[in-house]
Amino acid sequence: MMRTLPPKPEPPSNDDCCLSGCEFCVWDLYDDDMREYQKQAAVIRDAFEALHKPVPACIRPESLRDAVDPTMRAFLDMEREMAMRIQHEADKHSDNSEDDT
């Protein structure tokens, strides 16, 4: 069975992000799309390797890294970590209020 890799996701322009910490930031959506693209590319790459065929350059790991500006990447990482902390605290609070009933 031949698999076809969809087009590589295009990163949003810096103007697409308002930097206000939206719950569904355009950069989060891009990151999700890029992770899915990388997973699909890995499946195809593994199939090439299993057949002992040369792996096309476009699906080699070094070609799949997204081209997000390092400053934007740091901002996104911080936003994601902060969201995870908030969710963790909310989960703890929810667990504690269930124990009180």
Side-chain angles (χ1 to χ4, degrees):
M1 181 173 131
M2 182 60 112
R3 290 184 171 257
T4 304
L5 188 63
K8 186 174 180 179
E10 290 292 323
S13 72
N14 288 340
D15 294 337
D16 290 337
C17 179
C18 63
L19 298 175
S20 64
C22 300
E23 183 175 357
F24 298 107
C25 178
V26 295
W27 286 102
D28 291 330
L29 299 174
Y30 168 73
D31 191 50
D32 292 344
D33 290 346
M34 195 63 191
R35 288 173 194 267
E36 182 59 32
Y37 178 83
Q38 290 171 338
K39 274 196 256 179
Q40 292 180 30
V43 169
I44 295 170
R45 186 174 53 250
D46 291 346
F48 272 93
E49 290 172 351
L51 295 171
H52 304 290
K53 301 277 185 183
V55 176
C58 64
I59 60 171
R60 291 185 190 142
E62 62 273 11
S63 298
L64 296 177
R65 292 190 188 95
D66 56 44
V68 175
D69 173 70
T71 305
M72 182 57 75
R73 173 59 58 207
F75 172 77
L76 295 170
D77 290 345
M78 180 191 69
E79 284 286 310
R80 184 162 287 181
E81 184 177 323
M82 193 164 50
M84 289 172 55
R85 283 186 194 163
I86 290 169
Q87 184 62 50
H88 179 70
E89 288 299 316
D91 291 347
K92 279 182 16 185
H93 179 68
S94 174
D95 290 345
N96 288 341
S97 54
E98 289 176 7
D99 292 341
D100 293 341
T101 56

